Amino acid sequence: MKDMVVRGLSGVLYVGAVWASLWYGPTSAYFLFLFFLAVGLYEMQGILGDQPRSWWLIAVPALWYASSVAEQYGWSDARLYYPIVLFVWFGSLLFRKSKTITEDLTRIGALFLYPTLSFYLLPQVLGGPDDWKPFLVLGAFLMIWTNDTFAYMSGRFFGKRPLAPNISPNKTIEGLLGGV
C-alpha cells in the first residue's frame, strides 16, 4: 500500500508540473523538459553502467535540445549544431574507456536515440510562442499516463503470470492486458 501512495503522490506532482508548465507557456515547458532530459540522460548512464557518469553525455544533448528550442523562438538555426554535436560525440571515442568501439557506439546510440531525439523533436511539435500547441503533447501524455496507470493497477491486483521475468520480474501478462 505504501508503494501505491508514493507512486500516486509522485504521479500527482509530475502531472501537476507538466500541466502547469504547458499552461503557463512555452518557456516554462521547455525548461521543465530540459530538466527531464538531463535527469533521463543521467539515469540512462546509470542503467548502462557508466561510472562515473560523463558530463558531456548530458551537456551535448542538452545543447542540441536548447538549439531546437531556440529555433522555435527564431534565435538561431539548430541545424548548425549538428556537425558540432556529432564531432564531439564521436571525437569522444578517442578517449574511450571500454574495450570495443561497438560498445561505445551502442552507448552513444542508446543515449542519442532514446531520450535525446524525442526531446529534440518536442519543440518542433509544440511550436514557439506564436504557434504554441500544448494540447498535442498533453494528449499524448494523457494516453501514456492512462495506459501506465491501468497496467500498474491491473498487474498489481490481478497479476499472476510473469511477462518477461528476465527483463522485468514484476511485469505480468495481466498488467499488459490491463494497460491495453
Side-chain angles (χ1 to χ4, degrees):
M1 187 66 173
K2 181 182 176 186
D3 182 46
M4 288 183 67
V5 170
V6 170
R7 278 179 157 255
L9 289 175
S10 61
V12 166
L13 287 173
Y14 177 74
V15 170
V18 171
W19 269 89
S21 70
L22 288 171
W23 177 75
Y24 191 69
T27 304
S28 62
Y30 290 141
F31 275 114
L32 180 68
F33 291 132
L34 178 62
F35 173 74
F36 288 163
L37 174 64
V39 169
L41 291 169
Y42 182 83
E43 290 297 321
M44 182 64 84
Q45 288 183 55
I47 289 170
L48 293 174
D50 291 347
Q51 294 298 335
R53 290 176 169 94
S54 302
W55 66 268
W56 63 269
L57 280 175
I58 296 172
V60 172
L63 174 66
W64 198 31
Y65 168 76
S67 69
S68 178
V69 171
E71 188 176 348
Q72 295 304 313
Y73 283 85
W75 295 336
S76 70
D77 187 4
R79 290 178 291 266
L80 297 175
Y81 292 105
Y82 299 162
I84 297 169
V85 169
L86 293 175
F87 176 77
V88 170
W89 273 4
F90 291 114
S92 69
L93 294 175
L94 298 172
F95 305 102
R96 62 191 169 99
K97 295 178 183 175
S98 59
K99 295 179 179 136
T100 65
I101 195 164
T102 307
E103 185 179 334
D104 286 327
L105 289 174
T106 302
R107 283 201 164 107
I108 289 173
L111 286 166
F112 174 70
L113 292 176
Y114 178 62
T116 307
L117 188 57
S118 57
F119 275 91
Y120 171 76
L121 295 174
L122 191 61
Q124 310 300 321
V125 172
L126 284 172
D130 297 332
D131 60 341
W132 182 236
K133 301 176 286 279
F135 295 109
L136 294 173
V137 173
L138 195 54
F141 274 135
L142 286 174
M143 290 187 325
I144 292 167
W145 290 329
T146 303
N147 173 280
D148 188 48
T149 300
F150 279 102
Y152 175 75
M153 297 296 247
S154 60
R156 177 97 172 154
F157 292 119
F158 306 113
K160 301 280 187 243
R161 296 173 293 215
L163 180 64
N166 292 339
I167 298 172
S168 182
N170 294 331
K171 302 287 188 274
T172 62
I173 293 173
E174 293 80 8
L176 172 69
L177 295 175
V180 175

